[in-house]
Amino acid sequence: MSKEEPAIVQMEPVSEVQSLRIGAFLAQGTPTANPTQSRERLAHWKLTKNPFLQGFAHVMVSSSGNEEYLASTFTATPKPMWAWGKEAIWAEVGDTVTAPEFQRRGLFSRLHNSIIASALEAGVETMYGLPNQNSLPAYVKKFKWIIKENANLINCTKITGTTRVADTISSRLPGSLAGRIAGGILKKSLFDKPVQLASRAWTRMQAQGDTEIEIISAFPDNFNELWTKVREHVSLSTLRNQQYLAWRFVENPLPFKIFSARRKGELVGYLVTHFEPNKDSSYGRLSIADWIYDPVAGKQVGSDLLRRALLEPQDGEVEVVSALSNRNSPFPLPWKKFGFLIRDAPKPLIFFPNDCGTQAANDPESWHFTLSDTCLL
């Protein structure tokens, strides 16, 4: 039985069942919901638990007999922003997925126009995103979204073991003798352990300042005081007050480790990490998800936070450490000192072309941008 032409369904507000269904579709391309899957739990969290403004989810639904199918999705997650000296609500667009049998039928365009109208009507001042190469042309050429040319986003990567390198070599040289030999040699624990030990030894060699670092499980009220001090140093940034940080990292279904930094008892910064084990191998990825520190206290605070995070034991072997930042962040971390490789981020930062979005795209000041500002975590 053939499926009918999809119709738009505006899920406002998004129910728990709807959010899980969207998460299942994003993870598997099917309409079945399994709340044990992280993609589904993430969709439920960001679409229904946002304390600033509930998330937007517009979908295209097709039917065949008595069965309904998700054909395409488009979501927008409201974010509290600090923009040019005042608080505002912006939104990140994402989760733009269309089932293969419904592609090239204009579903993306219809959902785009629908969700933009709803978000602006609800009080969202503008929207941003980091689209992949498949959807970027539609945003920029068809809907005239603006690329922020001076975003200066960078990917920071530190390899701490040989398993990941071996897998990369094998995948780039599939079936070749060189790929099999190099991959096989590097995967041997004889090589992997020394590389891991050398990486940790190099980290320990970096000077530790007088910053007191501890792991905390919640963000107390003094994080509001920290944010009030550091926001003077940024033009654009997600609002990093206590309420936002609690929602982003404590109520999030993913596990995060929160490191707080103090000088003489005074809170001067924090850094958050997330460890994700790879289900197909013995290694995992450690993400530096977010951080800020008081620039008046000095860059050593950031260095001390990064050093402690890299040395902290995880729930598995760390083979790669990654972060997203920008070259002119007001809160720079010493990536190269700790052995990170720096390269330009492949995805551009784009803005919806209304007055606020145009101003953000053309603002010469840098946006303190981290992985926590994306839908990647």
Side-chain angles (χ1 to χ4, degrees):
M1 184 177 295
S2 62
K3 297 179 181 178
E4 296 180 357
E5 183 66 19
I8 292 180
V9 175
Q10 300 180 2
M11 296 180 174
E12 299 175 14
V14 185
S15 70
E16 178 178 358
V17 173
Q18 288 171 332
S19 66
L20 293 173
R21 189 181 184 195
I22 290 173
F25 177 75
L26 296 174
Q28 307 169 15
T30 67
T32 58
N34 178 358
T36 63
Q37 298 295 319
S38 62
R39 192 68 185 265
E40 297 166 33
R41 290 184 287 115
L42 276 173
H44 175 54
W45 163 76
K46 75 176 185 177
L47 291 174
T48 69
K49 302 299 183 181
N50 193 325
F52 303 97
L53 184 65
Q54 192 172 60
F56 302 90
H58 291 195
V59 301
M60 302 292 289
V61 176
S62 178
S63 61
S64 177
N66 295 326
E67 296 291 330
E68 281 192 346
Y69 300 87
L70 291 185
S72 186
T73 65
F74 200 127
T75 70
T77 305
K79 303 285 184 73
M81 295 294 300
W82 178 254
W84 310 297
K86 66 177 184 178
E87 296 182 8
I89 296 293
W90 293 5
E92 180 193 10
V93 295
D95 298 335
T96 55
V97 177
T98 300
E101 65 267 33
F102 293 104
Q103 293 177 1
R104 300 187 181 279
R105 291 167 63 171
L107 274 61
F108 174 88
S109 297
R110 293 167 63 187
L111 287 175
H112 170 278
N113 294 337
S114 175
I115 207 163
I116 294 297
S118 290
L120 293 177
E121 183 179 357
V124 172
E125 293 193 17
T126 195
M127 280 142 283
Y128 73 90
L130 282 87
N132 59 33
Q133 294 304 312
N134 293 329
S135 56
L136 179 63
Y139 279 110
V140 175
K141 294 181 179 180
K142 186 170 185 177
F143 299 112
K144 308 304 180 184
W145 285 54
I146 307 170
I147 296 177
K148 186 172 178 59
E149 300 290 353
N150 66 338
N152 296 317
L153 297 183
I154 53 174
N155 283 340
C156 311
T157 307
K158 177 182 174 69
I159 304 298
T160 59
T162 60
T163 303
R164 182 59 179 260
V165 177
D167 288 348
T168 300
I169 293 175
S170 299
S171 65
R172 293 185 177 181
L173 300 171
S176 69
L177 179 61
R180 291 198 300 271
I181 293 176
I185 291 176
L186 290 174
K187 275 193 174 182
K188 299 292 185 182
S189 59
L190 177 66
F191 294 89
D192 192 54
K193 287 297 182 183
V195 170
Q196 292 180 5
L197 292 173
S199 176
R200 292 183 65 83
W202 178 259
T203 299
R204 290 185 183 278
M205 287 172 58
Q206 307 311 310
Q208 169 71 35
D210 60 353
T211 313
E212 303 168 7
I213 311 291
E214 66 174 337
I215 296 178
I216 58 177
S217 59
F219 292 94
D221 290 341
N222 59 350
F223 276 80
N224 288 327
E225 301 172 13
L226 173 65
W227 169 244
T228 299
K229 286 192 297 185
V230 304
R231 71 185 185 185
E232 300 176 3
H233 300 274
V234 296
S235 176
L236 296 175
S237 173
T238 306
L239 201 71
R240 286 170 166 86
N241 59 10
Q242 185 272 341
Q243 185 183 25
Y244 170 78
L245 295 174
W247 171 69
R248 191 65 182 84
F249 300 116
V250 178
E251 299 168 17
N252 193 309
L254 295 179
F256 292 92
K257 283 188 178 180
I258 307 162
F259 301 83
S260 70
R262 293 179 179 274
R263 288 273 182 87
K264 298 180 179 180
E266 181 182 0
L267 181 68
V268 292
Y270 73 85
L271 184 145
V272 181
T273 65
H274 167 67
F275 177 73
E276 183 177 1
N278 191 316
K279 64 180 180 180
D280 297 322
S281 64
S282 59
Y283 63 80
R285 174 184 292 271
L286 180 67
S287 297
I288 310 298
D290 193 41
W291 68 93
I292 61 170
Y293 58 85
D294 185 357
V296 176
K299 295 181 180 179
Q300 186 63 44
V301 174
S303 180
D304 291 347
L305 280 165
L306 183 58
R307 181 180 185 274
R308 171 62 188 276
L310 293 175
L311 292 174
E312 179 67 20
Q314 303 297 329
D315 294 331
E317 295 291 343
V318 177
E319 281 281 334
V320 62
V321 187
S322 62
L324 179 66
S325 185
N326 44 7
R327 295 188 184 277
N328 47 347
S329 168
F331 315 111
L333 293 182
W335 303 113
K336 291 184 179 180
K337 184 175 80 170
F338 284 94
F340 283 79
L341 302 175
I342 309 297
R343 62 184 178 89
D344 291 336
K347 293 182 179 181
L349 178 61
I350 64 172
F351 285 90
F352 180 68
N354 61 355
D355 290 345
C356 182
T358 300
Q359 183 180 356
N362 296 324
D363 192 313
E365 298 295 327
S366 176
W367 183 353
H368 175 54
F369 203 89
T370 70
L371 280 172
S372 69
D373 292 307
T374 76
C375 59
L376 301 175
L377 282 179

